[in-house]
Amino acid sequence: MPQGAEPAAGTGGPLPAGAGRPASVQDAIRRDIIAGVLTPGARVTETSLAQRYDVSRVPVREALRGLESEGFIDSLPHVGSRVAPIPVHDADDLFAVREALEVSTARRAARRAAALWSGEESPEDWWRVRREIAALLDAGDAHVAADDLDPLVALNDQIHLRIAELSGSATMTRLLRQLSWKIEWLYAAEVQPRGKRLWPEHRVIVGAIDAGDGERAAALMAAHVRESRIGYLLRYGIETPSSDPVVAATVEERRPTGRR
């Protein structure tokens, strides 16, 4: 699709029955933006999106407002709405916020595990979420073994969100989910599968959480997210120095000769 062109109406397909609520339409539009179906600069209208997702214009209007607040849509009076640019130049800041959030969720999850083993707490959701994490880890290991790496992106996101759920903080889980959407959008131009090298780190992080070692879980999560941050800055050749001096130094050290 040409840059800035409006997508053909109706190509998105109808939403599931009963999903015409604003949140569902918002999820569908966001999904297509992240996937590159709706490209940066593409003009979007209530009419075209209503036809695309087979809903009325009312939930589309609410969805566009929500997506504008999330940074996925730019709207101007008398001009209309367009898909916003991918926030490449905000990448370092987005990863920095993600690191702070995930360090906190890992530490809190480990502390809840320690309380569980000591008998101080018995959270009802703990074992359900922990079983889901185990299943995600097994699924990822199987894909790595088969060199089938495409599913790792979604599996990675799910594991990090489940760890946030183990923390017991609904607020941090919600913030991480919103941040994950933006970071996944950063990778929209990524061609090569990613995640194989860092995938084994998930079991080590979860092991520290299970052991109730909050500081180790936090340190491992910080290193894990920081490595993703460094990798992104290197792959996309972002020249703006990182706000983290350690990240900035590592990027400069690893940058190919001739690009320094």
Side-chain angles (χ1 to χ4, degrees):
M1 183 183 298
Q3 184 80 0
E6 184 172 353
T11 56
L15 296 171
R21 301 180 301 276
S24 296
V25 177
Q26 187 168 326
D27 289 344
I29 298 172
R30 186 193 308 107
R31 175 198 63 204
D32 283 347
I33 291 173
I34 291 173
V37 177
L38 298 174
T39 57
R43 181 171 177 266
V44 289
T45 65
E46 292 177 14
T47 300
S48 66
L49 292 176
Q51 294 175 351
R52 179 181 182 82
Y53 300 106
D54 194 22
V55 295
S56 72
R57 291 175 57 181
V58 174
V60 169
R61 186 176 306 127
E62 295 301 315
L64 288 175
R65 288 174 184 164
L67 291 167
E68 184 176 6
S69 70
E70 293 177 3
F72 287 96
I73 292 290
D74 287 338
S75 297
L76 292 173
H78 313 299
V79 175
S81 299
R82 293 184 181 276
V83 177
I86 296 175
V88 173
H89 295 294
D90 294 334
D92 185 61
D93 291 335
L94 290 171
F95 276 105
V97 174
R98 179 187 170 193
E99 182 178 331
L101 269 175
E102 297 220 55
V103 164
S104 182
T105 59
R107 181 181 288 114
R108 288 182 57 148
R111 288 176 178 173
R112 287 186 83 206
L116 178 67
W117 306 139
S118 67
E120 296 175 16
E121 292 185 22
S122 182
E124 296 180 3
D125 64 329
W126 176 273
W127 291 112
R128 174 187 60 80
V129 176
R130 187 59 185 81
R131 285 193 295 271
E132 291 174 357
I133 290 175
L136 290 167
L137 289 170
D138 288 345
D141 288 349
H143 284 294
V144 169
D147 205 29
D148 176 23
L149 305 183
D150 287 342
L152 290 187
V153 175
L155 290 170
N156 176 79
D157 288 347
Q158 288 302 310
I159 284 179
H160 283 265
L161 287 171
R162 294 299 183 274
I163 289 174
E165 289 180 22
L166 284 184
S167 76
S169 173
T171 297
M172 285 197 290
T173 301
R174 181 170 60 254
L175 288 173
L176 181 59
R177 180 174 288 107
Q178 293 171 351
L179 188 62
S180 294
W181 294 329
K182 296 298 285 292
I183 289 179
E184 187 55 35
W185 196 23
L186 290 174
Y187 286 104
E190 184 77 69
V191 176
Q192 298 298 324
R194 51 192 171 83
K196 182 177 182 177
R197 182 172 63 85
L198 297 181
W199 180 261
E201 294 180 3
H202 292 114
R203 283 198 182 274
V204 183
I205 294 168
V206 173
I209 291 171
D210 286 346
D213 191 339
E215 294 313 305
R216 176 169 165 75
L220 288 168
M221 183 64 84
H224 179 71
V225 176
R226 196 174 300 129
E227 192 61 30
S228 294
R229 180 180 180 181
I230 291 166
Y232 185 90
L233 296 176
L234 279 171
R235 278 199 300 280
Y236 284 83
I238 296 173
E239 300 297 335
T240 304
S242 172
S243 59
D244 184 322
V246 175
V247 171
T250 305
V251 168
E252 186 61 24
E253 179 184 322
R254 295 185 191 176
R255 198 183 299 280
T257 304
R259 295 192 59 185
R260 299 183 179 183

